[in-house]
Amino acid sequence: MPSISVIGVSIAIIYFLILHRFLFKKPLYRFIIISWPVLGMIPGLLFVLHRVFDFAVEVLENSGLTFPFKGPWFAGMDMLVTVDPANIHYLLNSSFSNFARGSDFREVFDAFEDSLLTKDSDAWKNLRKASQVMINHQGYQRLSISTTRSKLKDGLVPFFNHIAEEGTTVDLQDVFWRFAYDTTIVTVTGCDDPRSLSIEMPEIESATALNNIGEGVIYRHAKPRFLWKLQNWIGVGIEKKMTEAGVVFDRVCAEYISTNREEIKRSQGINHDHLDGESEDLLTSHMKLDPTKYQLMNPINDKFLRDTIVGFLLAGRDTIASALTWFFWILSENPRVVTKIRQEIDDTILPRGSSGQERPSYDPIEYLDKLVYLHAALCETMRLNPPVPIERMSPVKSDVLPSGHKVEANSKILIFIYALGKMRAIWGEDALEFKPERWISKTGALRHIPSFKFLAFNGGPRSCLGKHIAMIQMKIVVVEILQNYDINVANGQKIQPENHMILRMKQGLKVTINKRC
């Protein structure tokens, strides 16, 4: 029973750590990061697993911004964790060609295997160009904005009004996840609104499946490869849920093909056995833009389509929902910021001197880019609580990082984005304070912060394609809520991040809602 022996030894070591802490009053992190024979640092990791994100902040702060994690022998869990801006710039920009996702990444993220998320080299370059054409298309952007505003009018506003009238408490995180899911799946697939955000708050199978995929991916990072592979083969635990989630999205894919059968037939005049041609032809060979709906068309195969849909759902739903949840929690802790944002909205959307008049309808593109302080507050939220807390990569060839750390070919490197925004060595002594003003210059314009300091939208060639449209969507939601509602966070909640590939609150965010006069 070797597994029981390992667990027993780990428990014994954990008890030793606790005893040593109380007897000698030493900083606990120094003992948690001890690399034990055979077990490596796993015993310490188990001790802090419930708060591993915040523990990583402490370790990196005290380790010169880069820390080598040692896993059990032969488990393939060794990795270099860094938040050093020089390393980040080197990894994502100046030596980008030498740092790829890698085969191990694709294995862990197999639910997205054929999507842009896991691709490298030419396959990544071609698919990114095709996706960029779609996302930057004015028609697609108009569709995204109109879908967001429609869901606000028919989903979020009626729901908020109902909660305000009933005087009940609601989980705002769940609300934003449902809102973002509905808008994203309509935009990406053209399917009917699933109405997961409605007064009934129904269970939506595909939304739950997406949650299970995200949970499974993060647990694969904390388990030896052989263990999660065995669980996957047997079909138990979270691995079983991930397999079932794949079946759910197979059905979503089939429904999409059925809904768009005629458009797909019209785009089937290309021989997909001879791809990898000129990149400008990829849009017509990998996918086609429907001239009325601007949706992904002409998949190479069902798996490509499924993985692409899952990837877009993850990028569109989870990141926006995460950012909005943390944003409104931080606003509850900073009422002065709420006042300044509301004043900016009034001054921008309703000119001075028009007080008391009904606010006119407005064009988001025309006005939202003028909301500088709101933009700064959203960036400051994502600095402290980035929707994607970790970025992972692997060297193609052995290399030495600017910090002096040597990395072997095919080893694992983690950029701990969650910790990056909290480093005093990078952001100053006030790094943990919420200060939107740090994003605004003396002239009132937005400051440019390089991506190797602010990585919420990734950086370098892999920077987020949907950054601009995501900011617009979030501003639309924030303006609607702050103009019409007061969000009151319930007392007594312990707000902490969940161990997940997307930064979620472990217990959600319970709030009450009041309509503003």
Side-chain angles (χ1 to χ4, degrees), residues 234-421:
I234 296 174
V236 296
I238 188 62
E239 290 295 327
K240 179 181 179 181
K241 291 181 179 179
M242 290 184 73
T243 301
E244 292 170 344
V247 175
V248 170
F249 280 104
D250 284 341
R251 289 203 299 270
V252 172
C253 173
E255 291 171 7
Y256 172 76
I257 292 173
S258 176
T259 301
N260 298 281
R261 188 178 305 279
E262 293 305 316
E263 290 91 336
I264 292 173
K265 282 182 179 179
R266 287 198 296 270
S267 65
Q268 289 292 342
I270 298 167
N271 182 357
H272 299 296
D273 294 330
H274 302 286
L275 298 174
D276 300 326
E278 295 297 323
S279 59
E280 59 265 29
D281 295 330
L282 189 69
L283 186 60
T284 56
S285 59
H286 271 187
M287 58 187 75
K288 176 185 176 184
L289 288 175
D290 180 290
T292 57
K293 297 182 180 177
Y294 303 98
Q295 297 156 4
L296 290 174
M297 292 296 171
N298 206 23
I300 300 173
N301 53 52
D302 288 356
K303 189 175 188 308
F304 170 81
L305 178 57
R306 186 196 75 174
D307 293 355
T308 299
I309 289 175
V310 173
F312 271 104
L313 283 176
L314 180 74
R317 181 197 76 161
D318 292 37
T319 54
I320 290 176
S322 171
L324 287 173
T325 303
W326 290 100
F327 178 75
F328 277 96
W329 171 68
I330 289 180
L331 287 191
S332 73
E333 301 284 308
N334 296 271
R336 70 167 186 89
V337 175
V338 178
T339 301
K340 292 189 71 170
I341 294 174
R342 281 176 170 157
Q343 187 62 56
E344 181 182 58
I345 292 171
D346 287 343
D347 292 346
T348 303
I349 295 178
L350 188 65
R352 290 183 184 275
S354 301
S355 179
Q357 298 181 13
E358 183 178 352
R359 292 183 175 90
S361 61
Y362 61 93
D363 178 2
I365 300 297
E366 179 182 355
Y367 288 100
L368 295 181
D369 285 341
K370 298 179 181 179
L371 299 177
V372 173
Y373 193 80
L374 172 56
H375 190 106
L378 285 166
C379 288
E380 182 73 344
T381 297
M382 290 184 284
R383 175 182 74 86
L384 292 169
N385 301 284
V388 181
I390 299 171
E391 175 69 8
R392 172 177 165 170
M393 61 199 62
S394 179
V396 178
K397 297 182 295 184
S398 297
D399 205 343
V400 178
L401 302 185
S403 62
H405 293 83
K406 184 176 181 179
V407 289
E408 301 294 340
N410 301 316
S411 61
K412 298 185 185 72
I413 302 173
L414 298 187
I415 300 175
F416 219 105
I417 305 173
Y418 178 83
L420 174 65

Side-chain angles (χ1 to χ4, degrees), residues 19 120 204 211 281 310 344 369 503:
L19 181 63
D120 284 320
I204 302 296
N211 293 341
D281 295 330
V310 173
E344 181 182 58
D369 285 341
L503 197 69

Side-chain angles (χ1 to χ4, degrees), residues 20 127 169 196 206 216 220 295 300 303 319 328 364 389 409 450 458 477 488 510:
H20 205 292
L127 190 52
T169 300
S196 68
S206 53
R220 286 180 176 182
Q295 297 156 4
I300 300 173
K303 189 175 188 308
T319 54
F328 277 96
N458 212 322
V477 175
N488 310 299
K510 305 300 189 298

Side-chain angles (χ1 to χ4, degrees), residues 97-337:
S97 60
N98 190 45
F99 295 93
R101 297 299 195 192
S103 58
D104 187 58
F105 182 97
R106 287 190 293 275
E107 192 173 48
V108 170
F109 287 80
D110 58 6
F112 312 94
E113 184 179 6
D114 284 351
S115 73
L116 179 63
L117 176 67
T118 63
K119 294 298 182 184
D120 284 320
S121 62
D122 289 343
W124 166 80
K125 187 185 300 183
N126 291 340
L127 190 52
R128 181 179 170 88
K129 284 185 177 180
S131 300
Q132 188 171 25
V133 170
M134 183 194 76
I135 291 173
N136 289 342
H137 197 288
Q138 289 186 352
Y140 179 83
Q141 294 190 9
R142 285 196 298 268
L143 174 64
S144 297
I145 292 171
S146 65
T147 302
T148 300
R149 298 185 75 183
S150 175
K151 189 62 189 181
L152 271 175
K153 177 184 176 183
D154 301 329
L156 191 69
V157 168
F159 182 81
F160 270 25
N161 289 342
H162 173 76
I163 295 299
E165 291 168 5
E166 295 291 322
T168 54
T169 300
V170 66
D171 180 358
L172 193 61
Q173 176 170 258
D174 185 37
V175 171
F176 284 142
W177 241 259
R178 290 168 178 270
F179 173 85
Y181 177 79
D182 288 352
T183 55
T184 303
I185 200 165
V186 170
T187 304
V188 170
T189 70
C191 296
D192 293 336
D193 183 352
R195 293 185 58 81
S196 68
L197 176 58
S198 58
I199 293 174
E200 297 78 17
M201 298 288 271
E203 184 77 14
I204 302 296
E205 186 181 33
S206 53
T208 302
L210 195 60
N211 293 341
N212 290 337
I213 289 173
E215 182 183 354
V217 166
I218 201 69
Y219 272 102
R220 286 180 176 182
H221 282 83
K223 294 177 183 176
R225 178 177 177 272
F226 79 86
L227 180 57
W228 69 258
K229 278 281 189 180
L230 177 63
Q231 291 177 325
N232 181 274
W233 180 69
I234 296 174
V236 296
I238 188 62
E239 290 295 327
K240 179 181 179 181
K241 291 181 179 179
M242 290 184 73
T243 301
E244 292 170 344
V247 175
V248 170
F249 280 104
D250 284 341
R251 289 203 299 270
V252 172
C253 173
E255 291 171 7
Y256 172 76
I257 292 173
S258 176
T259 301
N260 298 281
R261 188 178 305 279
E262 293 305 316
E263 290 91 336
I264 292 173
K265 282 182 179 179
R266 287 198 296 270
S267 65
Q268 289 292 342
I270 298 167
N271 182 357
H272 299 296
D273 294 330
H274 302 286
L275 298 174
D276 300 326
E278 295 297 323
S279 59
E280 59 265 29
D281 295 330
L282 189 69
L283 186 60
T284 56
S285 59
H286 271 187
M287 58 187 75
K288 176 185 176 184
L289 288 175
D290 180 290
T292 57
K293 297 182 180 177
Y294 303 98
Q295 297 156 4
L296 290 174
M297 292 296 171
N298 206 23
I300 300 173
N301 53 52
D302 288 356
K303 189 175 188 308
F304 170 81
L305 178 57
R306 186 196 75 174
D307 293 355
T308 299
I309 289 175
V310 173
F312 271 104
L313 283 176
L314 180 74
R317 181 197 76 161
D318 292 37
T319 54
I320 290 176
S322 171
L324 287 173
T325 303
W326 290 100
F327 178 75
F328 277 96
W329 171 68
I330 289 180
L331 287 191
S332 73
E333 301 284 308
N334 296 271
R336 70 167 186 89
V337 175

